[in-house]
């Protein structure tokens, strides 16, 4: 489905990002992905899938812009890198909180704008947000919720900027997905499942499937929109 297309996944070494890399590689795309801390996992994934791994810390704006520029022109950009900080807002280190905003908000914005410079007509920009951009049912995660709801504004605004060129901009908003960041057997499992209609963690491959659909030919009229995949966590 993606033969001849060039895809960049920011944050592709593990979890949801790795599933997205595998999906695009299986479907024939030339895939580049970035990693920060997980060099070995990145190298394994690159050789397993025939993709290219590039070290780029998403907290470093200039490095992100350079990687997007050097990987282009891109048919598809997926920004997946992101993390959460848990705990009492009154005790949190402001530098760590600002780092979260750099990775979760600034990187998606600057990467999207840089990708659009040379993206062909009909290109796709997909950012991994969270159902926590819509709903925050627990305490201690305000910075994360703020960062993920900011992506909604990014998609709505950039969809207007790039729409005349047929470029779509969308946010995929997962609920609990079984990864290192949120293992299905973790301590929050029962609480999270109590909010859900389908009481299980999602699989990274299920998120990758939604990303592939948004990147594919059937989704050319879908833009500026949030696509929640959460077992009704936020319903
Ligand atoms: P993981 O922690 O399992 O994996 C995170 C991935 O992002 C890794 O490949 C990691 O690379 C990369 N990454 C993190 N920080 C950076 C950075 N500074 N620079 C470059 N890469 C980075 O997380 P998930 O797979 O669970 O989450 C992926 C995305 O999905 C995130 O944006 C997250 O907020 C979102 N999400 C996840 C949910 C879940 O329940 N799992 C629910 C809703 C949203 P490396 O290890 O090499 O640093």
């Amino acid at each position: 489905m993606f033969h001849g297309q060039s895809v960049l996944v920011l944050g592709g070494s593990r979890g949801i990002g790795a599933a997205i890399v595998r999906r695009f590689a299986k479907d024939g795309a030339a895939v580049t992905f970035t990693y920060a801390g997980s060099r070995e996992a990145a190298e394994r994934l690159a050789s397993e899938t025939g993709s290219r791994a590039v070290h780029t810390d998403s907290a470093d704006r200039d490095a992100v812009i350079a990687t997007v520029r050097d990987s282009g022109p891109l048919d598809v950009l997926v920004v997946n890198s992101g993390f959460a900080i848990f705990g009492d807002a009154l005790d949190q280190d402001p530098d760590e909180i600002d780092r979260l905003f750099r990775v979760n908000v600034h990187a998606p914005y600057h990467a999207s704008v840089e990708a659009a410079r040379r993206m062909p007509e009909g290109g796709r920009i997909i950012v991994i947000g969270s159902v926590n951009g819509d709903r925050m049912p627990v305490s201690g995660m305000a910075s994360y919720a703020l960062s993920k709801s900011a992506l909604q504004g990014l998609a709505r605004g950039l969809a207007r900027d790039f729409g005349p060129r047929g470029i779509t901009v969308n946010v995929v908003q997962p609920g609990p997905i079984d990864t290192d960041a949120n293992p299905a057997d973790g301590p929050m499992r029962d609480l999270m499942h109590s909010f859900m209609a389908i009481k299980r963690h999602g699989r990274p491959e299920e998120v990758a499937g939604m990303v592939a659909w948004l990147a594919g030919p059937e989704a050319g009229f879908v833009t500026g929109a949030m696509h929640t995949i959460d077992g009704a966590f936020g319903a």
Side-chain angles (χ1 to χ4, degrees):
M1 180 150 105
F2 296 108
H3 286 279
Q5 293 205 20
S6 173
V7 176
L8 174 64
V9 180
L10 294 185
S13 52
R14 295 182 294 113
I16 294 169
I20 294 168
V21 168
R22 286 196 179 90
R23 176 63 190 255
F24 278 110
K26 181 169 78 65
D27 288 352
V31 182
T32 300
F33 68 91
T34 66
Y35 66 95
S38 304
R39 184 192 190 107
E40 270 180 34
E43 285 173 354
R44 261 198 319 275
L45 182 65
S47 74
E48 178 201 317
T49 58
S51 53
R52 191 170 71 100
V54 179
H55 181 273
T56 306
D57 183 350
S58 290
D60 180 341
R61 182 196 63 199
D62 293 344
V64 167
I65 291 172
T67 294
V68 173
R69 189 188 56 229
D70 296 347
S71 307
L74 297 169
D75 297 289
V76 180
L77 170 71
V78 181
V79 186
N80 169 76
S81 43
F83 70 100
I85 296 175
F86 307 91
D88 188 334
L90 302 182
D91 293 336
Q92 287 168 353
D93 175 354
D95 288 337
E96 264 305 293
I97 300 294
D98 281 0
R99 182 165 184 282
L100 181 146
F101 294 143
R102 287 204 301 280
V103 173
N104 290 14
V105 181
H106 300 188
Y109 180 83
H110 292 297
S112 299
V113 170
E114 186 60 30
R117 289 187 203 287
R118 291 198 290 149
M119 196 168 251
E121 180 107 355
R124 301 282 199 268
I125 296 171
I126 299 158
V127 180
I128 308 301
S130 166
V131 66
N132 293 140
D134 284 333
R135 302 266 186 280
M136 180 38 78
V138 296
S139 60
M141 289 183 70
S143 58
Y144 184 71
L146 188 167
S147 74
K148 295 301 188 180
S149 58
L151 299 176
Q152 302 183 346
L154 176 155
R156 294 186 178 110
L158 292 183
R160 301 223 176 253
D161 291 330
F162 306 143
R165 292 163 53 199
I167 294 171
T168 67
V169 186
N170 288 285
V171 180
V172 168
Q173 301 194 139
I177 306 296
D178 184 16
T179 65
D180 297 340
N182 186 2
D185 58 359
M188 300 281 281
R189 168 202 161 98
D190 289 345
L191 177 65
M192 285 188 288
H193 292 187
S194 74
F195 301 133
M196 299 166 76
I198 295 175
K199 295 185 184 300
R200 65 168 174 87
H201 275 48
R203 296 188 301 276
E205 296 73 23
E206 292 176 303
V207 180
M210 181 179 264
V211 170
W213 182 78
L214 284 168
E218 289 177 304
F221 194 53
V222 180
T223 193
M226 316 316 140
H227 308 275
T228 299
I229 172 167
D230 71 340
F233 179 97

